[in-house]
């Protein structure tokens, strides 16, 4: 049903490719499109439920829907739309084996594992279905989603201290420029001459925000243009630099004292920052896309 | 063509039921559980609770103060397992104090990030599918005190 619904709207770049697919392969009991779509939907539904259950309150969940999770939702829709255009050829044995493995992982009662299952299926599709640009594009979006929701979190847990120290080095460097009154940094803790201390924690790390910015870029770019291009690299680097810059600027503002910290780190400050990250990623993505179109 | 839809439908019902019945690990709940555990262990070794020191403005980081008639004061903090709070602990300690991380019934000089994160994640998963009686932790206990107090904390519990 989902496959049919999403396949109703033809993709602008899907130039009559489906016509070339032999009718016999369309009539196979389970198509690659249906398998991928079904498992992506299943994995993401489980991941989303796991995420909501893990939130401290309904208010936090609703607040996150307005910013970060808006990008996640956008990526989910983009990924499903792309997966809806995967060639409806019959599944190979390897596809079925990958599907069964993914299904078993989804059964584990953990939202993160469900996202990891989506990521592993996307990784498989990226390699095994590389002749199908829509499968590759959908897999790119789902891999980025899985990185933000699962793989990235695991990586950050293992590398928390070095990651926060890198951020602290950048923040103390910037603070030194704007308040040259003797900022001292030890590890991920920055101390001002008046004794005010700012500890950079994992939730504020640049890697966390990078995954959001890149997810936004992948979702939009692959939706409009499924195939990868060399010029994409420039846009990715620009998004990374701008996102890290925004994050470092935000943490530097927190370093001005308890009053500034309360404003920047409070609920309003957090929402404004999340929106800034989203707008920044969106603007650079659109700029990069327009640039690429101009070259055509 | 019906069997794939039926299979996916069944999978959806079973997997979502599992998610709804699972108990996620909350950082504050894990911190409180770790604090209770370390309090019980220290009290069994002759330490008495002597107050709480706030360490961070949000109240998440705090040090429980204990006193012992033979060695003086010892502080205990529950910090995230991933090591992001290690520097905070180091700055809480004075020059004459030593820091010991308590994990797996041993006192360690560094946070066992890799080992503990992987092990606790595995325990969390095992607990979710009913294979483990306890849920995984996201925090571990840290003791801050002089050599004598840390030695007492590491000693076997005193008989009642």
């Amino acid at each position: 049903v989902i496959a049919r619904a999403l396949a109703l709207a033809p993709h602008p770049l899907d130039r009559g490719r489906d016509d070339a697919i032999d009718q016999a392969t369309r009539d196979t009991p389970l198509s690659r499109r249906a398998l991928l779509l079904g498992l992506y939907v299943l994995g993401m539904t489980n991941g989303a439920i796991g995420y909501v259950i893990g939130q401290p309150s309904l208010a936090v969940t609703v607040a996150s829907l307005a910013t970060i999770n808006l990008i996640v939702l956008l990526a989910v829709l983009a990924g499903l739309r792309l997966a809806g255009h995967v060639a409806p050829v019959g599944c190979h044995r390897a596809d079925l084996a990958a599907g069964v493995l993914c299904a078993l992982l989804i059964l584990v009662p953990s939202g993160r594992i469900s996202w990891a299952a989506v990521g592993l299926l996307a990784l498989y599709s990226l390699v095994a279905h590389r002749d199908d640009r829509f499968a590759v594009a959908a897999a790119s979006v789902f891999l980025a989603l899985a990185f933000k929701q699962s793989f990235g979190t695991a990586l950050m847990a293992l590398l928390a201290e070095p990651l926060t120290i890198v951020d602290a080095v950048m923040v103390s460097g910037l603070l030194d420029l704007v308040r040259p009154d003797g900022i001292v940094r030890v590890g991920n803790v920055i101390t001002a001459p008046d004794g005010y201390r700012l500890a950079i924690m994992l939730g504020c790390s640049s890697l966390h925000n990078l995954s959001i910015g890149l997810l936004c870029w992948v979702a939009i770019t692959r939706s409009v243009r499924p195939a990868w291009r060399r010029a994409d690299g420039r846009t990715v680097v620009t998004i990374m630099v701008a996102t890290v810059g925004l994050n470092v600027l935000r943490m530097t503002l927190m370093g001005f004292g308890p009053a500034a910290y309360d404003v920047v780190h409070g609920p309003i400050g957090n929402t404004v920052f999340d929106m800034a990250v989203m707008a920044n990623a969106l603007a650079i993505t659109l700029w990069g896309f327009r640039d690429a179109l101009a070259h055509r | 063509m019906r069997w794939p839809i039926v299979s996916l439908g069944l999978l959806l019902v079973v997997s979502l039921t599992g998610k709804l019945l699972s108990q996620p690990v909350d950082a504050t709940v894990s911190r409180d559980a770790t604090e209770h555990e370390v309090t019980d262990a220290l009290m069994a070794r002759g330490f008495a609770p002597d107050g709480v020191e706030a360490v961070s403005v949000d109240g998440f980081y705090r040090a429980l103060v204990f006193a012992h008639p033979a060695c003086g004061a010892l502080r205990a903090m529950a910090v995230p397992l991933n090591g992001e709070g290690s520097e905070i602990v180091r700055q809480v300690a004075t020059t004459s104090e030593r820091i010991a991380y308590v994990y797996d019934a041993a006192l360690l000089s560094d946070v066992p990030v890799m080992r503990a994160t992987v092990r606790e994640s595995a325990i969390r998963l095992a607990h979710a599918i009913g294979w483990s009686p306890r849920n995984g932790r996201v925090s571990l206990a840290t003791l801050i005190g002089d050599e004598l107090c840390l030695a007492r904390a590491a000693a076997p519990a005193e008989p009642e």
Side-chain angles (χ1 to χ4, degrees), chain A residues 28-30 34 38-39 42 45-47 49-50 53-54 56 96 103 106-114 156-161 164 186-189 191 197 199-203 261, chain B residues 1 3-5 8 11-26 57-58 61 80-88 90-92 111 113-114 117-118 124-125 128-129:
Chain A
T28 48
L30 183 63
L39 288 172
L42 198 64
T45 309
N46 276 274
I49 294 290
I53 290 171
L96 290 173
I106 290 170
L107 280 173
V108 176
S110 155
R112 289 234 172 100
I113 300 291
S114 295
M156 287 200 298
L158 293 173
L159 300 173
E161 204 174 359
T164 51
V186 181
N188 58 345
V189 177
T191 309
R197 286 178 185 175
I200 310 292
M201 308 312 279
L202 201 54
Y261 175 88
Chain B
M1 187 57 195
W3 68 264
I5 297 168
L8 284 173
L11 199 58
L12 184 70
V13 172
V14 175
S15 58
L16 283 183
T17 307
K19 300 291 183 300
L20 292 169
L21 294 176
S22 67
Q23 289 175 302
V25 178
D26 178 72
V57 286
D58 61 2
Y61 286 90
L81 208 60
N82 59 26
E84 64 179 338
S86 306
E87 189 52 44
I88 294 177
R90 282 193 281 269
Q91 298 209 4
V92 164
V111 193
V113 176
M114 186 71 78
T117 304
V118 172
R124 223 172 297 151
L125 275 180
I129 51 179

Side-chain angles (χ1 to χ4, degrees), chain A residues 8 11 83 90-91 114 162 173 179 195 200 208 254 261 293:
Chain A
L8 277 178
H11 195 282
C91 285
S114 295
R179 329 176 27 168
I200 310 292
H208 175 70
M254 290 182 207
Y261 175 88
L293 279 180

